[in-house]
Amino acid sequence: MEPLEASRYATPNDPLRESPDYLRLSLAAAMTLGFAPGLFYRDARLSCINLLLTYASGCAARCAYCGLSGERPDGAGGQSFIRVTWPTHSLDDITQAIAARRDRVKRICISMLTNRRCARDTETVCRRLRQRFDIPVSLLVSPTVIDRDDLLAFKKAGADKVGVAIDLATPELFDRYRGAGVGGPHHWDAYWRCLGQAIDIFGRGFAGAHFMVGLGETEADMCAAMARVREMGGNTHLFSFFPEPASALADHPQPPMEQYRRVQLARYLIDAGRTRAERFAYDEAGRIASYGLPGDVIQAVVASGEPFRTSGCTGYDGTVACNRPYANSRPGPDIRNYPFKPDRNDIRRIRRQMR
């Protein structure tokens, strides 16, 4: 088997297929680049190539909801992520495939693990990609293994945006699922400090946080976290929790759709500067009762469908490139993050879901 062909069948724990020369691709990215067969539901299109660093030693983190955790009950940490396999390919193969499909790719995103080699290798991969293409490169960083100097090096290497996956809305939940509660290395304060540094280095609007709805927070908790990011100069990329098979939270339910829709609308209004979280009203259970705007304004925003589209990094054209089709819901009518503009039938369904 030739080396380039062999890369297609490498496993995440193969020491001969490690970063920076080898990377894993999301299944959607592999389909987009022609490495894997398949079709997207409703002809969705992925325009961001999502790459993940890979090492034989895997990830040192123990996040309870993550498929990369070395503490998975089945002992298969790193074999899958976001419920699908991420095939491994050489960086050379990946750049050749991008070059052949340049019109489809509006952004590239490199995701780090919690591994001490990640800072150096992320810089290397970013520089090699930017030397080859005039395509913007985002980085999803691991604050536990990087510092301010690394962020400066990433910008010098050509990255233009940084994401910090805080994920949980409160320090208590963060500690329970990512920190001491699972014997993990992550700390709430370190993640927020890294976000602040990224905003300072890359600029307002060029760094942001990832959050997941449905891990025990109230809607008021999540709105407060998103408002904090906005006040710092960042933006929020929002996800619905979707259980990863064989993870510690494999049996944890998804949040009710009505809850997720309300928080999606809140995120859109906060990030777009249409209102502020302190104007929101909540019921006794911490659910959003009012967004502090007239009803006709809210209805018009809902009718646009924009709040319910994937919130991700944009391409040079200003539209979302990292739209991650069906990353937090199965393909079908109950899409949680729309990878395209919702149509009239979608809007009617969204209104019913919001009740």
PDB file of all heavy atoms in Angstrom, residues 17 31 54 77 87-88 106 118 222 237 279 281 308 347:
ATOM      1  N   ARG A  17       1.103   8.186  11.867  1.00  0.00           N
ATOM      2  CA  ARG A  17       0.175   9.096  11.228  1.00  0.00           C
ATOM      3  C   ARG A  17      -0.250  10.183  12.219  1.00  0.00           C
ATOM      4  O   ARG A  17      -1.398  10.279  12.612  1.00  0.00           O
ATOM      5  CB  ARG A  17      -1.054   8.329  10.725  1.00  0.00           C
ATOM      6  CG  ARG A  17      -0.729   7.220   9.729  1.00  0.00           C
ATOM      7  CD  ARG A  17      -0.329   7.795   8.375  1.00  0.00           C
ATOM      8  NE  ARG A  17      -0.134   6.747   7.391  1.00  0.00           N
ATOM      9  CZ  ARG A  17       1.047   6.214   7.102  1.00  0.00           C
ATOM     10  NH1 ARG A  17       2.140   6.635   7.738  1.00  0.00           N
ATOM     11  NH2 ARG A  17       1.149   5.257   6.190  1.00  0.00           N
ATOM     12  N   MET A  31     -16.363  14.165   3.032  1.00  0.00           N
ATOM     13  CA  MET A  31     -17.301  14.064   1.911  1.00  0.00           C
ATOM     14  C   MET A  31     -17.105  15.228   0.945  1.00  0.00           C
ATOM     15  O   MET A  31     -17.089  15.041  -0.276  1.00  0.00           O
ATOM     16  CB  MET A  31     -18.737  14.042   2.440  1.00  0.00           C
ATOM     17  CG  MET A  31     -19.108  12.763   3.175  1.00  0.00           C
ATOM     18  SD  MET A  31     -20.642  12.916   4.155  1.00  0.00           S
ATOM     19  CE  MET A  31     -21.808  13.433   2.895  1.00  0.00           C
ATOM     20  N   THR A  54      -4.061  15.077  15.532  1.00  0.00           N
ATOM     21  CA  THR A  54      -4.159  13.675  15.953  1.00  0.00           C
ATOM     22  C   THR A  54      -2.824  13.165  16.469  1.00  0.00           C
ATOM     23  O   THR A  54      -1.764  13.474  15.900  1.00  0.00           O
ATOM     24  CB  THR A  54      -4.656  12.785  14.793  1.00  0.00           C
ATOM     25  OG1 THR A  54      -4.801  11.437  15.249  1.00  0.00           O
ATOM     26  CG2 THR A  54      -3.730  12.819  13.590  1.00  0.00           C
ATOM     27  N   GLY A  77     -11.338   6.076  23.569  1.00  0.00           N
ATOM     28  CA  GLY A  77     -11.126   7.503  23.416  1.00  0.00           C
ATOM     29  C   GLY A  77     -10.444   7.825  22.096  1.00  0.00           C
ATOM     30  O   GLY A  77      -9.420   7.248  21.754  1.00  0.00           O
ATOM     31  N   PRO A  87     -11.853  10.459   9.600  1.00  0.00           N
ATOM     32  CA  PRO A  87     -10.757   9.782   8.907  1.00  0.00           C
ATOM     33  C   PRO A  87      -9.463  10.600   8.939  1.00  0.00           C
ATOM     34  O   PRO A  87      -9.480  11.832   8.950  1.00  0.00           O
ATOM     35  CB  PRO A  87     -11.285   9.637   7.477  1.00  0.00           C
ATOM     36  CG  PRO A  87     -12.328  10.703   7.342  1.00  0.00           C
ATOM     37  CD  PRO A  87     -12.947  10.836   8.693  1.00  0.00           C
ATOM     38  N   THR A  88      -8.352   9.897   8.951  1.00  0.00           N
ATOM     39  CA  THR A  88      -7.025  10.518   8.979  1.00  0.00           C
ATOM     40  C   THR A  88      -6.441  10.573   7.569  1.00  0.00           C
ATOM     41  O   THR A  88      -6.477   9.584   6.839  1.00  0.00           O
ATOM     42  CB  THR A  88      -6.076   9.721   9.886  1.00  0.00           C
ATOM     43  OG1 THR A  88      -6.634   9.632  11.199  1.00  0.00           O
ATOM     44  CG2 THR A  88      -4.706  10.373   9.963  1.00  0.00           C
ATOM     45  N   LYS A 106     -14.608  28.053   1.824  1.00  0.00           N
ATOM     46  CA  LYS A 106     -14.549  29.454   2.228  1.00  0.00           C
ATOM     47  C   LYS A 106     -13.751  29.667   3.516  1.00  0.00           C
ATOM     48  O   LYS A 106     -13.432  30.802   3.869  1.00  0.00           O
ATOM     49  CB  LYS A 106     -15.959  30.009   2.413  1.00  0.00           C
ATOM     50  CG  LYS A 106     -16.790  30.019   1.140  1.00  0.00           C
ATOM     51  CD  LYS A 106     -18.162  30.628   1.397  1.00  0.00           C
ATOM     52  CE  LYS A 106     -18.986  30.687   0.122  1.00  0.00           C
ATOM     53  NZ  LYS A 106     -20.315  31.305   0.365  1.00  0.00           N
ATOM     54  N   CYS A 118       0.303  20.302  20.746  1.00  0.00           N
ATOM     55  CA  CYS A 118      -0.666  20.985  19.889  1.00  0.00           C
ATOM     56  C   CYS A 118      -0.270  22.407  19.513  1.00  0.00           C
ATOM     57  O   CYS A 118      -0.521  22.835  18.379  1.00  0.00           O
ATOM     58  CB  CYS A 118      -2.030  21.011  20.570  1.00  0.00           C
ATOM     59  SG  CYS A 118      -3.017  19.527  20.263  1.00  0.00           S
ATOM     60  N   MET A 222     -27.390  30.663  30.646  1.00  0.00           N
ATOM     61  CA  MET A 222     -26.772  30.694  29.326  1.00  0.00           C
ATOM     62  C   MET A 222     -26.776  32.111  28.763  1.00  0.00           C
ATOM     63  O   MET A 222     -25.796  32.545  28.147  1.00  0.00           O
ATOM     64  CB  MET A 222     -27.493  29.731  28.388  1.00  0.00           C
ATOM     65  CG  MET A 222     -26.816  29.571  27.024  1.00  0.00           C
ATOM     66  SD  MET A 222     -25.104  28.952  27.112  1.00  0.00           S
ATOM     67  CE  MET A 222     -25.391  27.224  27.514  1.00  0.00           C
ATOM     68  N   HIS A 237     -20.831  30.867  19.439  1.00  0.00           N
ATOM     69  CA  HIS A 237     -21.244  29.788  18.542  1.00  0.00           C
ATOM     70  C   HIS A 237     -21.986  28.781  19.416  1.00  0.00           C
ATOM     71  O   HIS A 237     -21.418  28.213  20.354  1.00  0.00           O
ATOM     72  CB  HIS A 237     -20.028  29.147  17.874  1.00  0.00           C
ATOM     73  CG  HIS A 237     -19.249  30.115  17.028  1.00  0.00           C
ATOM     74  ND1 HIS A 237     -18.004  29.816  16.521  1.00  0.00           N
ATOM     75  CD2 HIS A 237     -19.532  31.367  16.612  1.00  0.00           C
ATOM     76  CE1 HIS A 237     -17.553  30.853  15.820  1.00  0.00           C
ATOM     77  NE2 HIS A 237     -18.469  31.800  15.875  1.00  0.00           N
ATOM     78  N   ARG A 279     -32.075  43.204  29.726  1.00  0.00           N
ATOM     79  CA  ARG A 279     -33.460  43.572  29.423  1.00  0.00           C
ATOM     80  C   ARG A 279     -34.383  42.349  29.398  1.00  0.00           C
ATOM     81  O   ARG A 279     -35.607  42.503  29.342  1.00  0.00           O
ATOM     82  CB  ARG A 279     -33.532  44.274  28.069  1.00  0.00           C
ATOM     83  CG  ARG A 279     -32.756  45.575  27.991  1.00  0.00           C
ATOM     84  CD  ARG A 279     -32.846  46.156  26.587  1.00  0.00           C
ATOM     85  NE  ARG A 279     -31.997  47.324  26.434  1.00  0.00           N
ATOM     86  CZ  ARG A 279     -31.717  47.905  25.263  1.00  0.00           C
ATOM     87  NH1 ARG A 279     -32.241  47.401  24.147  1.00  0.00           N
ATOM     88  NH2 ARG A 279     -30.936  48.959  25.207  1.00  0.00           N
ATOM     89  N   ALA A 281     -36.523  39.110  30.573  1.00  0.00           N
ATOM     90  CA  ALA A 281     -37.265  38.699  31.764  1.00  0.00           C
ATOM     91  C   ALA A 281     -37.345  37.176  31.767  1.00  0.00           C
ATOM     92  O   ALA A 281     -37.400  36.534  30.710  1.00  0.00           O
ATOM     93  CB  ALA A 281     -38.661  39.310  31.765  1.00  0.00           C
ATOM     94  N   PHE A 308     -31.749  30.769  13.782  1.00  0.00           N
ATOM     95  CA  PHE A 308     -31.755  29.320  13.892  1.00  0.00           C
ATOM     96  C   PHE A 308     -30.765  28.651  12.938  1.00  0.00           C
ATOM     97  O   PHE A 308     -30.670  27.433  12.885  1.00  0.00           O
ATOM     98  CB  PHE A 308     -33.182  28.819  13.665  1.00  0.00           C
ATOM     99  CG  PHE A 308     -34.176  29.642  14.440  1.00  0.00           C
ATOM    100  CD1 PHE A 308     -34.978  30.586  13.793  1.00  0.00           C
ATOM    101  CD2 PHE A 308     -34.246  29.536  15.813  1.00  0.00           C
ATOM    102  CE1 PHE A 308     -35.860  31.378  14.515  1.00  0.00           C
ATOM    103  CE2 PHE A 308     -35.124  30.336  16.544  1.00  0.00           C
ATOM    104  CZ  PHE A 308     -35.927  31.261  15.892  1.00  0.00           C
ATOM    105  N   ILE A 347     -39.865  27.679   9.024  1.00  0.00           N
ATOM    106  CA  ILE A 347     -40.256  28.737   9.952  1.00  0.00           C
ATOM    107  C   ILE A 347     -41.531  28.361  10.693  1.00  0.00           C
ATOM    108  O   ILE A 347     -41.657  28.579  11.908  1.00  0.00           O
ATOM    109  CB  ILE A 347     -40.431  30.082   9.215  1.00  0.00           C
ATOM    110  CG1 ILE A 347     -39.110  30.520   8.571  1.00  0.00           C
ATOM    111  CG2 ILE A 347     -40.931  31.160  10.187  1.00  0.00           C
ATOM    112  CD1 ILE A 347     -37.969  30.705   9.543  1.00  0.00           C
TER     113      ILE A 347
END
